[in-house]
Amino acid sequence: MDETPRIRSWSYNRLLDFERCKLRAKLKYLDRIPELPRPLPEGKKEQPNDRGTRIHLVAEQYVRGASELIPELDGFAEEFAKLRLLFTLGEAELEGDWGFNDIWEPCSWQRAWLRAKLDAIVTLPDAHMVVIDYKTGKRAGNEIKHNEQMLLYALATVHRYPAVQKVTVELWYLDEDQLVRSDYDRHSVMRHFERFNKRAVAMTSCTEFPARPNMFTCRFCTYGPKGSGDCKDGV
Ligand code: SF4
């Protein structure tokens, strides 16, 4: 087996990190150097990531019938109640950890080349599935990224379920009371397969990780000279 260090598995967020700066992706996913904690955003009591994890957990517990809805989820009370009912009826799954090998066949999470985490998956009649992703934070400024993520969820669904003909992906913006929905049929979603696959292969076969300093990527990276110093080229 070729032992050259590579980032051997990918997710949508990893792919974005890699495409923005290969060195950052190497430090984070290959060398596994933890990023430094960032200062709390003004007026916030929790880091955005910690808050996101907490909200996802309480949403899952509510749908499983293990807790009540918390006020932060009130804007989606109706949707969560419906999801809870579907879960009770066995028509919804929660916390889907989907793994795929490099020919996009389902495999275990541990051995996966592609990993996709889904918050809820609902099976409807007529070979139709609905995939739901809870979002904390804003949609504005993230539209392109989130639309691509929706496509990747749809691609993952049609690969995992060969009989599925239609996929609806819903992003629930819990802080903004906004639900964004896209419908895909198998044929239309597969048109995006080659493009995603090519990007993923470029990432998982890469063996050189040059820095790509620029004010936009370095601003959100803690490996630079003003942070941990693992990267000397950051600006
Ligand atoms: S500081 Fe900038 S150049 Fe250095 S790893 Fe981070 S994003 Fe890349």
Side-chain angles (χ1 to χ4, degrees):
M1 187 178 156
D2 178 4
E3 297 295 336
T4 312
R6 293 188 174 90
I7 303 170
R8 293 183 187 273
S9 65
W10 71 286
S11 63
Y12 185 66
N13 284 335
R14 278 192 180 201
L15 184 63
L16 281 192
D17 282 343
F18 173 80
E19 290 175 344
R20 286 173 182 152
C21 175
K22 292 184 173 65
L23 178 60
R24 182 182 181 189
K26 174 186 179 287
L27 295 169
K28 192 167 170 181
Y29 303 117
L30 202 50
D31 303 341
R32 296 185 182 278
I33 299 173
E35 292 181 287
L36 297 178
R38 294 183 198 156
L40 271 181
E42 209 177 315
K44 304 287 180 193
K45 293 187 181 143
E46 303 174 270
Q47 289 289 355
N49 282 349
D50 294 343
R51 178 169 178 270
T53 304
R54 175 177 62 78
I55 297 273
H56 277 71
L57 187 65
V58 292
E60 184 194 343
Q61 285 171 341
Y62 172 78
V63 178
R64 287 188 190 282
S67 71
E68 293 308 308
L69 207 62
I70 58 169
E72 284 158 294
L73 301 178
D74 272 352
F76 273 80
E78 213 175 294
E79 286 82 2
F80 274 116
K82 192 172 166 195
L83 193 54
R84 186 175 180 158
L85 176 63
L86 289 169
F87 179 74
T88 313
L89 297 171
E91 291 166 20
E93 291 170 50
L94 303 180
E95 294 294 311
D97 287 350
W98 291 358
F100 299 86
N101 63 18
D102 60 2
I103 51 171
W104 293 66
E105 291 171 340
C107 72
S108 72
W109 184 257
Q110 287 72 23
R111 299 184 55 232
W113 173 74
L114 161 62
R115 295 190 174 117
K117 263 187 174 293
L118 302 103
D119 291 321
I121 307 105
V122 177
T123 304
L124 298 178
D126 303 323
H128 181 189
M129 294 192 92
V130 181
V131 166
I132 299 167
D133 187 26
Y134 312 145
K135 292 279 187 214
T136 49
K138 293 187 171 78
R139 176 163 171 79
N142 290 308
E143 293 90 341
I144 297 173
K145 176 174 143 184
H146 290 176
N147 289 348
E148 277 211 310
Q149 206 173 17
M150 291 169 98
L151 263 176
L152 183 59
Y153 288 148
L155 270 172
T157 307
V158 298
H159 280 85
R160 188 175 165 94
Y161 298 100
V164 163
Q165 295 303 318
K166 185 176 170 191
V167 182
T168 299
V169 183
E170 293 185 355
L171 303 184
W172 293 10
Y173 289 91
L174 303 172
D175 297 334
E176 301 185 323
D177 298 351
Q178 187 190 2
L179 193 158
V180 173
R181 177 183 292 123
S182 280
D183 292 311
Y184 306 91
D185 61 51
R186 174 172 285 272
H187 178 71
S188 69
V189 76
M190 283 304 289
R191 284 206 298 262
H192 300 273
F193 173 75
E194 279 307 329
R195 185 173 56 87
F196 262 111
N197 193 54
K198 206 168 153 189
R199 290 167 67 189
V201 169
M203 174 181 164
T204 53
S205 59
C206 177
T207 55
E208 290 182 19
F209 301 91
R212 190 181 171 207
N214 69 69
M215 60 183 286
F216 298 106
T217 48
C218 296
R219 207 171 115 211
F220 298 102
C221 175
T222 63
Y223 295 125
K226 293 178 202 152
S228 65
D230 294 289
C231 163
K232 310 291 178 222
D233 300 315
V235 292

